[in-house]
Amino acid sequence: MKGEAQDKQPILLGAVDLGSNSFRVEIGRVEDYRITTESYWKETVRLAGGIDEHGAFTPEIQERALSALRRFREKLEGIDPQNIRAVGTQALRVATNSADFLPRAEEALGHPIEIIAGREEARLVFSGCAHTLPPSSEKRLVVDIGGGTTGLAILKEGKVVQIEDEPTGGTHLTLVLSGNYHVSFEEAEAIKQDYKRHREILPVVRPVVEKMATIVSRYVDKAHTDTIYLCGGTCCLTGIEDIFQKVTGIRTIKPANPFLVTPTGIAMNCTLE
C-alpha cells in the first residue's frame, strides 16, 4: 500500500529559460501525461543588452544574471535534478565569452545549462504549444517573439519542417518606448509590461510590430497556411495578434499565457525515468 501511495505522487518538472531579455523558471506537475503549471517566476535580466562592443558579456550583466540564477536555484529545491532542464538561447549563443560565463552560471543555478541551437529552440516552442493546437493537414506557423529575436517555426503535420530567426524582438519595442517617453530602458520595460497601458502604447510600437509581421510574411505560404500562432513574452501585448493578422492576411491567435510556451516546452522535454 505504501508503495502504491508513493507511485501516485505527482512528478514535478523544472524548466529554466535563459532568454536574451528575461530569465524564466517554471515548475510543472505531471498528471495524466499533461503538465500543469504549479508556479512561475520571471526576472528581467537584459542579458543581450549587456554585451559590449567586443561582443562579450560585461561584468555587470554577468553579476545580474548570476544573482537571478541563485534565486532560481532556491525555487528549484526539492525537485529531482534529472527532472530539471535549463537552456540558454540567442544571447548565450553569440557572446564571445559564453564559454567562460557558462560554468559560473551553472554553479549559481546548481544545474547544467545547455546552450541550444535555433532549431532546438523552435522545437521546444512547438512542444510547448502543440497540445493546444487542433489537428490540421495544413501548414502552421509558430512565431516566438523573444527579447532579441523573432523565431519562426513552420510546421507540417506536427513536425518542424523549417525554422528562421530574425534579429528583431521585444527589446526593440522597449527601445522605441524609451525614446518616445524619454525614460530609461528599465522604465520603458515596465511600461511595456503594464497591461493597463497597452492601449496607449500600441500606436507607438505599431511600426515595429508591423515590421515583425512583414518579416513573417516573407516565409508564409498563404495558400497552404491556415493559422499563425504567437508566443513569447512580447506577445502579451494586447492587440498584437490583430496587427499580425492584418499584415499577413492569415488568422492569427495566441495562447492565454504566451510567455509560458517556451518554459512549458522545456519542461515537456525533461527526461523522466
Side-chain angles (χ1 to χ4, degrees), residues 21-40:
N21 189 51
S22 300
F23 286 5
R24 297 177 171 87
V25 59
E26 179 184 6
I27 296 175
R29 183 180 70 255
V30 181
E31 291 182 323
D32 298 325
Y33 302 100
R34 294 184 65 84
I35 296 177
T36 301
T37 299
E38 288 257 308
S39 51
Y40 168 82

Side-chain angles (χ1 to χ4, degrees), residues 35-51:
I35 296 177
T36 301
T37 299
E38 288 257 308
S39 51
Y40 168 82
W41 296 271
K42 181 184 84 167
E43 295 209 17
T44 303
V45 176
R46 286 195 64 215
L47 194 61
I51 296 179

Side-chain angles (χ1 to χ4, degrees), residues 16 18 43 107 115-116 119 127 222 261:
V16 183
L18 280 65
E43 295 209 17
E107 181 181 4
I115 301 178
I116 57 175
R119 179 169 289 274
S127 295
K222 293 186 178 181
V261 169

Side-chain angles (χ1 to χ4, degrees), residues 32-101:
D32 298 325
Y33 302 100
R34 294 184 65 84
I35 296 177
T36 301
T37 299
E38 288 257 308
S39 51
Y40 168 82
W41 296 271
K42 181 184 84 167
E43 295 209 17
T44 303
V45 176
R46 286 195 64 215
L47 194 61
I51 296 179
D52 64 20
E53 66 273 16
H54 304 294
F57 291 133
T58 64
E60 294 78 14
I61 199 63
Q62 291 186 54
E63 286 306 315
R64 186 187 305 174
L66 294 173
S67 295
L69 292 174
R70 293 185 191 104
R71 288 188 286 272
F72 283 5
R73 180 175 186 163
E74 296 176 1
K75 306 295 186 183
L76 294 167
E77 286 183 359
I79 300 178
D80 189 332
Q82 73 178 4
N83 294 344
I84 295 173
R85 186 180 185 188
V87 303
T89 55
Q90 176 69 7
L92 283 163
R93 287 196 291 264
V94 302
T96 56
N97 58 345
S98 256
D100 296 326
F101 172 70

Side-chain angles (χ1 to χ4, degrees), residues 93 116-125 153 160-163:
R93 287 196 291 264
I116 57 175
R119 179 169 289 274
E120 173 65 2
E121 186 176 356
R123 188 184 72 82
L124 292 177
V125 169
V160 177
V161 296
Q162 181 181 349
I163 64 166

